[in-house]
Amino acid sequence: QYASHAQRIREGIEAAISDFGEAVQTRIVSRDSADPSNSIQAQYQALVSEEGARVVLGPLLVKETELLAKSSEVEGTPFVTF
């Protein structure tokens, strides 16, 4: 339902990062919060522990944001929602 919106956000982030050229070493890793096989908290934890995320961008929905707030507080890795 929100995949096209998320794709546009990702493209905007990629465009902004590319403006910095080689000066910024960044890797973007995506997870689909609508994936029923993984909770939003499990996806956040995987991004932080397995992918080494320093900041998580998203989720898009208020319900998911509320769920993620506690994980972010405990883990200490911030997230930015849209």
Side-chain angles (χ1 to χ4, degrees), residues 5-16 28-31:
H5 182 63
Q7 181 61 34
R8 287 192 304 275
I9 290 171
R10 181 186 174 110
E11 290 168 359
I13 291 167
E14 289 172 342
I28 297 174
V29 178
S30 297
R31 300 285 171 125

Side-chain angles (χ1 to χ4, degrees), residues 10-60:
R10 181 186 174 110
E11 290 168 359
I13 291 167
E14 289 172 342
I17 290 170
S18 71
D19 286 347
F20 290 99
E22 297 296 319
V24 176
Q25 295 295 320
T26 304
R27 182 171 58 98
I28 297 174
V29 178
S30 297
R31 300 285 171 125
D32 185 356
S33 62
D35 179 358
S37 67
N38 277 321
S39 70
I40 190 76
Q41 294 97 332
Q43 291 183 42
Y44 171 87
Q45 186 62 40
L47 287 169
V48 172
S49 64
E50 296 169 18
E51 300 289 348
R54 294 187 179 169
V55 174
V56 174
L57 303 175
L60 299 175

Side-chain angles (χ1 to χ4, degrees), residues 64-80:
E64 293 172 334
T65 299
E66 291 170 349
L67 292 171
L68 207 56
K70 183 64 176 176
S71 296
S72 176
E73 184 178 332
V74 169
E75 191 64 44
T77 301
F79 72 99
V80 178

